Amino acid sequence: MPYPISGSCQCGGVKYTLLSAPNLIAACHCKACQKLSTSAFSLTAMVDANTIEFEGEMQEWSRSSDSGNVSSAKFCPTCGNRIYHFNPAEPEKIKLKPSNLSDTSIIQPTVHIWVSEKQDWFQIPENVTVFDRQF
């Protein structure tokens, strides 16, 4: 996949350019991510903050996570589409929501986390790393 690759929220009010490949792509099966995605899991591309450029206004929402860290989310104030998550204590690490990329062919999760909370009907593919909780 040639980079850069672009992405945007549903309404186009927030746009971004991913300059290089993600460090990791994970599928999270925790109950919070099931609520976020309205599906069995949420996808996250771990990227370094200096490898992504954002354009447009975003709002922020934060909550405490099971680890005791803060999980903050940036989202479009118009359509509500989540763009990324981050821990304010580690602003150099971006947890991009990659389903809003213009080319989603890069989305190949190699790690599945919080499988202790996964939906029974979902079968995790072979040859991926699995964690019962957070990694």
Side-chain angles (χ1 to χ4, degrees):
M1 155 85 17
Y3 287 86
I5 184 172
S6 62
S8 69
C9 65
Q10 288 180 299
C11 73
V14 175
K15 297 178 176 135
Y16 63 87
T17 303
L18 183 58
L19 304 174
S20 61
N23 300 323
L24 174 91
I25 297 181
C28 181
H29 297 266
C30 77
K31 296 299 182 189
C33 281
Q34 290 178 35
K35 284 183 178 185
L36 165 66
S37 68
T38 68
S39 188
F41 54 86
S42 177
L43 295 170
T44 300
M46 309 295 190
V47 301
D48 297 324
N50 63 356
T51 65
I52 192 163
E53 298 171 344
F54 296 101
E55 176 184 325
E57 179 185 339
M58 289 187 270
Q59 298 239 336
E60 186 174 317
W61 176 76
S62 298
R63 67 174 177 83
S64 293
S65 66
D66 287 344
S67 67
N69 291 326
V70 173
S71 178
S72 294
K74 292 283 193 170
F75 61 94
C76 174
T78 302
C79 68
N81 212 193
R82 293 269 178 105
I83 305 300
Y84 70 93
H85 292 183
F86 69 103
N87 176 347
E90 299 177 310
E92 71 283 358
K93 296 178 183 178
I94 300 287
K95 300 169 188 171
L96 184 68
K97 307 314 285 176
S99 295
N100 50 32
L101 285 165
S102 59
D103 180 354
T104 56
S105 66
I106 70 156
I107 303 174
Q108 299 290 326
T110 57
V111 175
H112 285 251
I113 60 174
W114 282 98
V115 297
S116 61
E117 295 184 1
K118 86 171 190 59
Q119 294 293 317
D120 290 337
W121 55 264
F122 181 77
Q123 298 298 314
I124 294 175
E126 293 181 21
N127 302 319
V128 297
T129 304
V130 174
F131 295 92
D132 278 345
R133 297 177 64 87
Q134 195 70 26
F135 64 96

